[in-house]
Amino acid sequence: IEVMYGPGSALYGTNAVSGVINIITRDPDDEDAQGLFASATFGSFDTQSLNMRLGHYDNDNSFGYTLSAMYKTTSKTDLGAIDGANNWSDSIDNFEEDLSVEGKIKYKNLELGMILQDKKASRTTNYKSVGTDYYDRDTFWHITFANIWAKHKLNINNETELNSMLYYRNATVQDDTVASVTNGVADNNQTGYYRPNSLIGIEERLVYKGIEDLELTTGIVYERERLAEGFSKSYSNSYLIEPGAPQKPDMINNSLKSLYIQGQYRLNSEFTLTAGLRHDESSTYDSVSTPSGSLIYNKDDTTIKLIYAEAFRAPKPWDYTFGNGNTALSPEEMKSYELFFGHVFNNNVKADIVYFNNKIKNKLTFDSINNRWVN
């Protein structure tokens, strides 16, 4: 698990405003991925968890695979009556069920991979039921995630490496979701939700190490998103009857083209200089450029870092149309300054002093009077 603090838009683009958490799953040729592993856990609140992992790699043919899966379910804690501050009755649903499958196939410099997740949970805790028209049972939140990719690494020469990736991502609230159950004068029904979202993208990244003490990374990205403008909904005629599947909602297209470059140069044994720049062009929010740079001093037990970075978070297409709509929205922008000093006194004592200042511009906030998002 790689954790990067602070803005990371120069390499990672939109939404990498305050940090990046990069979870890297095991490769087929990793030593820890070989063989079969399985575990099971059982506990209170009807808790069950099953895990398995299978991996194999043939060094002679440079071929291997990994496959892992997880199933987890729990009724969680009882929130009825006094345990739930008297907001729900004793019949409250409070469950979660998760299924995840992850796998990779690797042959020489080619890798195919996938991560699929299916999450089901009650939604009753979103609304108080006592004293309202909401029921605290029979809701059903169902969302699926998919990340499927193909990677290829080409060693052009001893100094240059080209990494290519084609990927597909999907996050969909499935059409069997029951968002709420109400039994009142105005509303006596179950409400169904449906919201599909998908993205396809390609990235070409070139890494050059042909100059001593210099590593240069440059890349291009193209992504095409197809996003639901909002939830489509369906209603039954009774709080006892499940709703039918909602119709497909209105969809919005968004395309993104990005170009980035980052260089790291070791000035001497003590100083390292890093600089990066990314330019994004979107069919929705026009264009944004985000630079970053750092100077790091490291000698013996002392480390000093001086870091400057910019980042942005782009509005989603539906932000422009929500409520009364606002076509003039701009991306949120952040400028970050950081000064770090760290010293190791001995094996037991270490001290760090950090000063940082983040300035946000064009922050998105909801204008309830005019019923729209504004900067």
Side-chain angles (χ1 to χ4, degrees):
I1 298 178
E2 176 189 28
V3 180
M4 184 184 75
Y5 296 95
S9 285
L11 275 184
Y12 293 95
T14 179
N15 293 334
V17 175
S18 57
V20 174
I21 299 176
N22 185 20
I23 300 176
I24 306 166
T25 55
R26 288 181 173 88
D27 283 330
D29 53 354
D30 288 342
E31 183 177 344
D32 291 340
Q34 308 306 304
L36 173 65
F37 167 84
S39 69
T41 302
F42 302 92
S44 56
F45 304 112
D46 299 320
T47 299
Q48 303 171 40
S49 177
L50 306 174
N51 292 273
M52 65 80 62
R53 184 178 73 246
L54 177 66
H56 175 73
Y57 190 76
D58 184 346
N59 285 295
D60 295 333
N61 296 308
S62 300
F63 174 80
Y65 63 85
T66 60
L67 176 66
S68 59
M70 178 276 294
Y71 172 78
K72 178 179 64 178
T73 181
T74 177
S75 294
K76 300 186 179 179
T77 187
D78 180 13
L79 291 178
I82 193 172
D83 290 332
N86 292 310
N87 290 323
W88 299 276
S89 71
D90 287 328
S91 62
I92 181 174
D93 284 339
N94 192 18
F95 69 88
E96 183 175 330
E97 181 179 310
D98 300 315
L99 175 65
S100 177
V101 179
E102 185 264 349
K104 292 181 182 178
I105 298 175
K106 191 172 186 178
Y107 177 66
K108 295 184 178 179
N109 290 330
L110 177 66
E111 176 186 290
L112 305 176
M114 68 168 186
I115 298 176
L116 307 176
Q117 294 177 304
D118 185 274
K119 180 183 178 70
K120 301 173 183 177
S122 57
R123 200 166 180 258
T124 47
T125 54
N126 286 47
Y127 308 100
K128 297 179 182 180
S129 61
V130 174
T132 73
D133 293 334
Y134 287 104
Y135 263 49
D136 51 14
R137 56 187 180 275
D138 298 329
T139 60
F140 181 73
W141 185 258
H142 186 191
I143 185 169
T144 57
F145 303 91
N147 186 7
I148 303 170
W149 69 89
K151 292 181 180 179
H152 182 261
K153 181 172 70 172
L154 176 64
N155 295 312
I156 299 175
N157 52 46
N158 292 332
E159 297 87 19
T160 309
E161 175 183 296
L162 177 65
N163 296 282
S164 304
M165 182 168 65
L166 176 67
Y167 51 92
Y168 169 80
R169 297 169 188 162
N170 187 297
T172 294
V173 178
Q174 297 294 334
D175 61 9
D176 59 349
T177 293
V178 179
S180 62
V181 180
T182 52
N183 182 18
V185 176
D187 297 305
N188 184 343
N189 56 48
Q190 295 190 19
T191 303
Y193 272 22
Y194 177 45
R195 188 171 195 171
N197 300 284
S198 62
L199 176 152
I200 187 168
I202 185 171
E203 179 176 6
E204 297 287 340
R205 175 180 290 195
L206 192 70
V207 181
Y208 175 71
K209 302 178 182 179
I211 301 176
E212 187 177 1
D213 297 324
L214 173 67
E215 179 175 319
L216 192 64
T217 301
T218 184
I220 56 174
V221 178
Y222 178 79
E223 292 181 346
R224 179 79 171 178
E225 287 182 297
R226 187 150 175 80
L227 306 170
E229 188 172 7
F231 287 102
S232 63
K233 301 178 182 181
S234 62
Y235 304 91
S236 66
N237 294 321
S238 169
Y239 74 98
L240 298 173
I241 300 175
E242 292 185 2
Q247 298 294 316
K248 189 174 183 179
D250 293 334
M251 304 298 290
I252 304 173
N253 293 320
N254 178 41
S255 61
L256 176 68
K257 294 177 286 187
S258 305
L259 173 66
Y260 62 87
I261 184 170
Q262 179 166 292
Q264 186 175 78
Y265 183 63
R266 194 168 182 83
L267 301 174
N268 52 44
S269 60
E270 300 168 358
F271 287 94
T272 302
L273 177 66
T274 302
L277 177 66
R278 185 186 187 100
H279 181 75
D280 293 270
E281 290 191 3
S282 166
S283 61
T284 302
Y285 58 82
D286 201 14
S287 63
V288 177
S289 295
T290 47
S292 66
S294 67
L295 180 63
I296 300 176
Y297 170 85
N298 193 1
K299 183 178 181 181
D300 299 329
D301 298 325
T302 301
T303 300
I304 302 174
K305 303 177 185 179
L306 180 62
I307 303 172
Y308 172 78
E310 295 183 13
F312 73 102
R313 188 180 75 83
K316 285 295 185 181
W318 55 75
D319 292 328
Y320 293 89
T321 58
F322 186 83
N324 292 329
N326 184 1
T327 59
L329 287 179
S330 300
E332 294 180 333
E333 300 177 18
M334 185 169 80
K335 295 183 178 181
S336 175
Y337 309 82
E338 180 175 335
L339 177 62
F340 171 93
F341 176 84
H343 185 76
V344 178
F345 293 93
N346 54 51
N347 291 335
N348 301 314
V349 180
K350 177 178 179 291
D352 295 335
I353 299 175
V354 186
Y355 168 81
F356 66 89
N357 189 344
N358 296 333
K359 295 184 177 181
I360 298 178
K361 178 184 177 183
N362 294 329
K363 180 174 172 58
L364 284 176
T365 184
F366 189 70
D367 180 359
S368 59
I369 297 177
N370 296 303
N371 190 32
R372 64 177 189 170
W373 288 101
V374 295
N375 289 114

